[in-house]
Amino acid sequence: MKKHSARVAPLSSYSTQVLTCPISEGEDGSESHADTPGSETSGESRSYQTCTNTALKVLGGLLLVLCVSSSWVGTTQVVKLTFQSFSCPFFISWFSSNWNILFFPIYYSGHVVMTREKQTPIQKFRECSKLFGEDGMTLKLFVKRTAPFSILWTLTNYLYLLALKKLTATDVSALYCCHKAFVFLLSWIVLKDRFMGVRIVAAIMAITGIVMMAYADGFHGDSFVGVALAVGSASTSALYKVLFKMFLGSANLGEVAHFLSTMGFFNLIFISCVPLILYFTKVEHWGSLSSLPWGYLCGLAGLWLVFNILVHVGVVLTYPILISIGTLLSVPGNAAVDVLKHEVIFSVVRLAATCIICLGFLLLLLPEEWDSVTLRFLATIADKKSEEHGEELTESSIHTRSRSRANGTVSIPLA
């Protein structure tokens, strides 16, 4: 009996746990069943909120695409109008770059409106100046970090304006889209980004479009010089973006606004001597200050500032690919203005070159894992088709059996 009791005791304790577990599970299960409707509604509300946020983000992105495209088209067309009465491209570039000083005040105004956290402008400026280091911004870091980017910024704008003096707005905007291909090549070489065959094809298409654009009027005259200037502007823009990604890639919106305002100050302090040198050497000569077309200049600088704000803010608030699409849409926008207002007639070679460059630009927008995503999508479609085909076969077999039963036919199994 002692042996039997010794053997039974563990079993009884185990059976007690087994018997008590269903009761506790039943109680918990009743509570979970009671909470199931609430959890389902909360899950539905979360999914609905997620879908709503995604839809608002996409709609905001589409609106941003139109704003980016229209602001860039307006900037290019106002430049063409300004050249009719004031042909000083470097002065225009310098004057427009000075407006970058307004970046941080505009950002701070939006920050005060959108957030509950209240900081003085000086406190926020010091917080964003950590971009230059833990000690903040010093004179040495100010010159060291800002000078290369400010020079590249000025060269990009100046070469773009010079190209607009030689070519139509459509040609220049199409050639400027080649900067996306140059960004990929530089990122692949300098930043060691992932190699993608489709982007190499896009870069080749961009180079082909450039050659065709230069060949449209022969490799001589203003057309060839204009193409070279536009390609130079795209190259300096690509170098600016790659260096920005290398040194300031992890910067937030406030730090970017701080950096661009700092570039505006650098442009105002150090590059102001260049327009004066060009004025006294009569390379770019203008009359009195009162005779300058201030309306066109301020409108141009304002549109350029709006475009840059939309580009930098849009990358944070919505999908970056939409900003690139907005830049690409400036090509047909400028083409429509050139045809309707300036009555420009495009040759077949120029149209083909523009289309090739735009197609290469679109290929560059493909994500890095586009091939695997496409294969998964095609596999999903194939699985759905096979399932639908199997369901159709099942329904047809059931229908055949029902008809055979209705007609009185009986299937006799063979022994």
Side-chain angles (χ1 to χ4, degrees), residues 85-153:
S85 58
F86 184 72
S87 182
C88 298
F90 193 90
F91 180 86
I92 295 173
S93 174
W94 169 81
F95 180 77
S96 300
S97 298
N98 289 335
W99 283 49
N100 286 340
I101 298 173
L102 300 176
F103 255 96
F104 187 80
I106 294 173
Y107 162 76
Y108 179 76
S109 301
H111 175 76
V112 170
V113 173
M114 298 297 294
T115 60
R116 297 179 180 178
E117 181 184 0
K118 304 300 180 182
Q119 290 179 316
T120 62
I122 297 177
Q123 290 176 344
K124 193 63 181 176
F125 189 83
R126 289 177 178 174
E127 179 183 343
C128 296
S129 64
K130 293 180 181 179
L131 178 71
F132 292 90
E134 296 181 357
D135 298 333
M137 184 176 61
T138 60
L139 180 60
K140 181 180 179 180
L141 287 175
F142 169 72
V143 176
K144 182 180 178 181
R145 287 289 184 91
T146 311
F149 292 99
S150 183
I151 292 172
L152 288 174
W153 182 285

Side-chain angles (χ1 to χ4, degrees), residues 73 77 97 182 211 256 263 280 288 354 376 388 395 407:
V73 171
Q77 295 297 329
S97 298
F182 299 152
V211 175
V256 171
M263 283 176 52
F280 288 112
S288 60
T354 302
R376 284 199 300 265
E388 292 176 357
E395 291 177 357
N407 293 331

Side-chain angles (χ1 to χ4, degrees), residues 15 22 30-31 39 61 68 163 169 207-208 224 231 272 346 349 365 383 396:
S15 63
S30 62
E31 291 178 0
S39 62
V68 168
I207 296 172
T208 304
F224 180 76
V231 173
S272 298
F346 297 101
V349 178
L365 298 181
D383 292 339
S396 61

Side-chain angles (χ1 to χ4, degrees), residues 172-215:
V172 177
S173 58
L175 290 169
Y176 183 75
C177 288
C178 295
H179 77 277
K180 198 76 175 177
F182 299 152
V183 167
F184 163 69
L185 294 175
L186 288 175
S187 299
W188 178 40
I189 296 171
V190 178
L191 302 180
K192 307 299 181 183
D193 283 357
R194 178 184 173 186
F195 174 82
M196 291 181 62
V198 67
R199 293 186 178 178
I200 290 293
V201 174
I204 294 173
M205 293 177 67
I207 296 172
T208 304
I210 292 170
V211 175
M212 291 178 64
M213 193 75 73
Y215 178 73

Side-chain angles (χ1 to χ4, degrees), residues 229-340:
L229 292 171
V231 173
S233 176
S235 302
T236 53
S237 176
L239 183 58
Y240 170 87
K241 293 182 178 182
V242 171
L243 291 178
F244 191 91
K245 184 179 179 181
M246 180 186 296
F247 295 106
L248 309 171
S250 59
N252 56 31
L253 183 58
E255 292 173 344
V256 171
H258 178 280
F259 184 75
L260 292 173
S261 293
T262 306
M263 283 176 52
F265 278 111
F266 183 90
N267 184 80
L268 180 63
I269 296 172
F270 293 99
I271 304 184
S272 298
C273 59
V274 179
L276 294 177
I277 294 173
L278 296 178
Y279 174 78
F280 288 112
T281 56
K282 295 184 179 181
V283 176
E284 290 187 0
H285 186 75
W286 62 88
S288 60
L289 295 177
S290 59
S291 63
L292 296 179
W294 291 111
Y296 283 137
L297 292 176
C298 293
L300 167 62
L303 285 172
W304 219 324
L305 178 65
V306 169
F307 171 77
N308 290 318
I309 290 175
L310 291 174
V311 168
H312 290 88
V313 173
V315 171
V316 177
L317 298 181
T318 184
Y319 303 102
I321 189 173
L322 296 178
I323 307 301
S324 300
I325 293 175
T327 306
L328 180 63
L329 290 179
S330 65
V331 178
N334 281 314
V337 175
D338 287 341
V339 171
L340 297 176

